[in-house]
Amino acid sequence: MNKEISCIELVQGKIDLLKQNTHNTVNSLLEEIALGLAKKVDLKIANGEEIGLLEGIPFGIKDVYMLQGTYTTASSDLLKNYKSSYTATAIQKLLDAGAIPLVKENCDSFGHGSSSENTIFGAVKNAVNSDLVGGGSSGGSAVNVAKDYTVFSIGGDTGGSIRQPAGYNKVYGLKPTYGRISRYGLMAYASSTDCVGPITKSIEDIRIVLNIMSGKDVKDQTTYNSDVISEDLHSATKTVGYFKNFIESEAISSEIKEEFLATIEKIKAKGIAVKELDFFNSDILVSTYYTLAMAETASNLSRLDGTNYGARIEGKNLKDTYSITRSEKFSEETKRRIVGGNQVLSQGFSDEIYLKAQDLRNQISARFSEDFNEVDIILSPVTPANPPKIGESLNDPLAMYLSDAYTVGFSLGELPTLTIPKGTNTGLQITADKKKDAEVLQFANFLNDIL
Ligand code: GLN
């Protein structure tokens, strides 16, 4: 049934859903901004003006992006009352295209987590089964898309935070090639792997939103100019590879393993060549990632000392003020990472730990380059297991870090990787070589047809 509704009605409808929702996805609603913009779109339509592809489309923003005048809390106590003084480049591009921001979305504080339980706004509940976690760290964003509270959401992915919650909530989520989208105005977690990306209900929506946000930005020197990805995304037979040791690892659940191998058989049945590849074991990937991510976040968060941003608790002297503010206002998980990060960067340890992790990262990238001489696409499960129950993983940080086993390697490699909600119960990751985001979407369309 086709029904015409005004932009105001569309936006109001979504805002009502967000208000009533019991999944803890909302940190703050942008009702006034959204309705103001919707009114303008309706006026444009009434005047017969041309309407762009994203014009009037309501979207959500993980609460780590600056949007001038709105709260940007990173789901933290420290920044609970912090308001952005400027707007992130990626978000500005969406606004310029006419998209309408509805909500700042719940997530793990500063992106630290894999479940969206490390937040002052209450654990995000899974869209499919609300006893389970929403996944993280962009859990609120994935759940909002899955529940149709937003048409798309912008997540952030440092080591899997778009792909994993997308898989847990059965939607699409892309971590583009590092540098394809500007990070300016994204609160930094680990700057060398932080990526901006869309979470959506279709590959076509990923393509549209990706095209709008991509491009060189003088405010982020790691960005590059990329070609627009065209609509014609079918064609080209690929050679596919997968990491045998990921699938033979002890950590993978038998269900995910069977589903993944059955998917590989379906692909082979279509005449596609599939190669088994050897790769670093996931414990090496996880420890390399966490060593670097903790070092970078310790350094990035050192600016949050109660002076320039957010909460401040006065102590006897300045040093005391720093330490009380940071001790009281950062979460346990964030403090664990700051302490770990400062440790690996400290004199006497950095050569042994930090530089070793850098060296491993180079080896991992080199191995990816070799693999992409042999295959066009690498397939992998998104997670080794199904989403845990809420509360279950909080007491075991190490187990939580291991749930990132399949996502962090592609982050270290700066590669484009897409989660599609098919192939295993928590989805499938499709990865191509650097800057080949279009090939990822192309292969995703093929898989969508056959799975
Ligand atoms: N779960 C990973 C971590 O906690 C990834 C998080 C992310 O991508 N922001 O570091």
Side-chain angles (χ1 to χ4, degrees):
M1 186 180 75
N2 280 329
K3 182 169 161 255
E4 282 196 7
I5 59 166
S6 69
C7 188
I8 290 263
E9 283 171 311
L10 173 69
V11 165
Q12 190 65 59
K14 299 279 186 208
I15 285 180
D16 291 346
L17 290 172
L18 283 163
K19 275 187 186 165
Q20 291 154 14
N21 103 79
T22 53
H23 288 257
N24 292 334
T25 60
V26 177
N27 288 3
S28 56
L29 275 177
L30 310 175
E31 188 165 4
E32 219 173 289
I33 300 176
L35 290 172
L37 290 170
K39 207 167 161 184
K40 284 192 190 154
V41 173
D42 280 336
L43 254 173
K44 263 179 113 171
I45 297 172
N47 290 337
E49 286 176 50
E50 208 173 310
I51 292 293
L53 259 186
L54 281 186
E55 196 108 25
I57 302 296
F59 73 104
I61 305 173
K62 182 180 184 181
D63 202 7
V64 288
Y65 287 95
M66 303 300 155
L67 172 59
Q68 194 172 33
T70 68
Y71 287 105
T72 303
T73 71
S75 295
S76 71
D77 206 15
L78 204 146
L79 295 176
K80 195 165 68 184
N81 296 311
Y82 175 75
K83 279 190 174 171
S84 319
S85 53
Y86 65 101
T87 299
T89 299
I91 304 301
Q92 188 60 51
K93 288 184 170 200
L94 292 168
L95 298 179
D96 293 345
I100 297 185
L102 292 185
V103 51
K104 290 301 214 34
E105 299 168 314
N106 200 357
C107 55
D108 284 300
S109 193
F110 299 106
H112 298 158
S114 313
S115 64
S116 290
E117 296 172 286
N118 173 28
T119 156
I120 60 162
F121 295 97
V124 175
K125 297 179 185 171
N126 190 285
V128 183
N129 174 349
S130 55
D131 292 335
L132 307 180
V133 301
S137 63
S138 314
S141 309
V143 172
N144 279 340
V145 171
K147 301 290 282 181
D148 290 321
Y149 300 157
T150 59
V151 174
F152 67 90
S153 285
I154 303 306
D157 191 311
T158 305
S161 281
I162 287 177
R163 291 162 283 156
Q164 188 254 42
Y168 278 3
N169 295 286
K170 302 194 184 294
V171 290
Y172 296 83
L174 175 75
K175 181 199 96 62
T177 302
Y178 180 78
R180 188 180 182 101
I181 301 177
S182 169
R183 289 175 289 116
Y184 179 73
L186 160 63
M187 218 180 274
Y189 166 9
S191 312
S192 78
T193 61
D194 283 346
C195 289
V196 179
I199 299 175
T200 70
K201 278 210 153 162
S202 72
I203 298 166
E204 178 59 3
D205 286 355
I206 293 273
R207 185 187 73 84
I208 293 169
V209 178
L210 176 66
N211 277 340
I212 299 275
M213 293 195 295
S214 299
K216 182 139 191 74
D217 179 11
V218 289
K219 293 175 182 141
D220 175 356
Q221 291 303 318
T222 62
T223 51
Y224 64 91
N225 268 325
S226 49
D227 292 334
V228 170
I229 300 176
S230 76
E231 210 171 335
D232 172 31
L233 277 174
H234 291 267
S235 75
T237 317
K238 307 281 178 200
T239 308
V240 172
Y242 71 93
F243 298 136
K244 202 172 48 176
N245 55 317
F246 274 21
I247 305 309
E248 284 167 2
S249 119
E250 273 171 32
I252 193 168
S253 76
S254 51
E255 182 191 344
I256 303 265
K257 179 175 178 169
E258 275 164 34
E259 289 166 342
F260 182 79
L261 290 174
T263 299
I264 292 292
E265 288 312 313
K266 283 187 197 159
I267 294 169
K268 282 185 187 162
K270 290 287 162 190
I272 305 264
V274 179
K275 284 191 182 166
E276 289 180 347
L277 303 166
D278 288 318
F279 202 63
F280 289 87
N281 280 338
S282 46
D283 50 350
I284 293 180
L285 300 175
V286 169
S287 33
T288 303
Y289 166 78
Y290 272 99
T291 302
L292 297 174
M294 286 188 186
E296 292 188 36
T297 205
S299 162
N300 278 324
L301 294 184
S302 63
R303 77 190 73 158
L304 299 181
D305 58 13
T307 308
N308 292 314
Y309 317 93
R312 176 187 180 91
I313 303 174
E314 289 298 337
K316 298 195 291 289
N317 52 43
L318 189 59
K319 222 170 154 188
D320 212 32
T321 300
Y322 291 163
S323 90
I324 300 177
T325 302
R326 288 165 65 84
S327 306
E328 295 291 316
K329 296 291 178 183
F330 279 133
S331 70
E332 289 306 305
E333 183 58 35
T334 293
K335 282 188 275 188
R336 189 162 22 247
R337 292 174 187 222
I338 291 174
V339 170
N342 285 330
Q343 170 87 4
V344 308
L345 288 174
S346 59
Q347 205 172 10
F349 288 97
S350 61
D351 289 4
E352 272 299 306
I353 313 177
Y354 180 72
L355 294 182
K356 190 169 170 198
Q358 288 286 29
D359 179 51
L360 271 165
R361 182 179 187 176
N362 291 336
Q363 291 181 40
I364 291 163
S365 294
R367 185 73 79 82
F368 275 128
S369 300
E370 283 168 28
D371 286 340
F372 283 117
N373 286 330
E374 306 230 334
V375 301
D376 305 297
I377 293 288
I378 293 173
L379 285 183
S380 125
V382 179
T383 59
N386 286 331
K389 285 209 172 101
I390 289 177
E392 219 172 56
S393 48
L394 279 180
N395 297 325
D396 192 352
L398 207 57
M400 193 181 74
Y401 301 162
L402 285 172
S403 76
D404 301 328
Y406 302 150
T407 51
V408 294
F410 302 120
S411 296
L412 293 171
E414 306 185 353
L415 303 171
T417 305
L418 173 76
T419 288
I420 64 167
K422 290 186 171 181
T424 81
N425 191 42
T426 61
L428 205 60
Q429 276 186 110
I430 305 170
T431 305
D433 204 357
K434 266 185 217 171
K435 302 194 177 176
K436 296 196 169 166
D437 306 56
E439 288 192 19
V440 169
L441 300 190
Q442 216 166 52
F443 197 71
N445 271 323
F446 165 76
L447 282 187
N448 239 4
D449 292 344
I450 67 160
L451 295 179

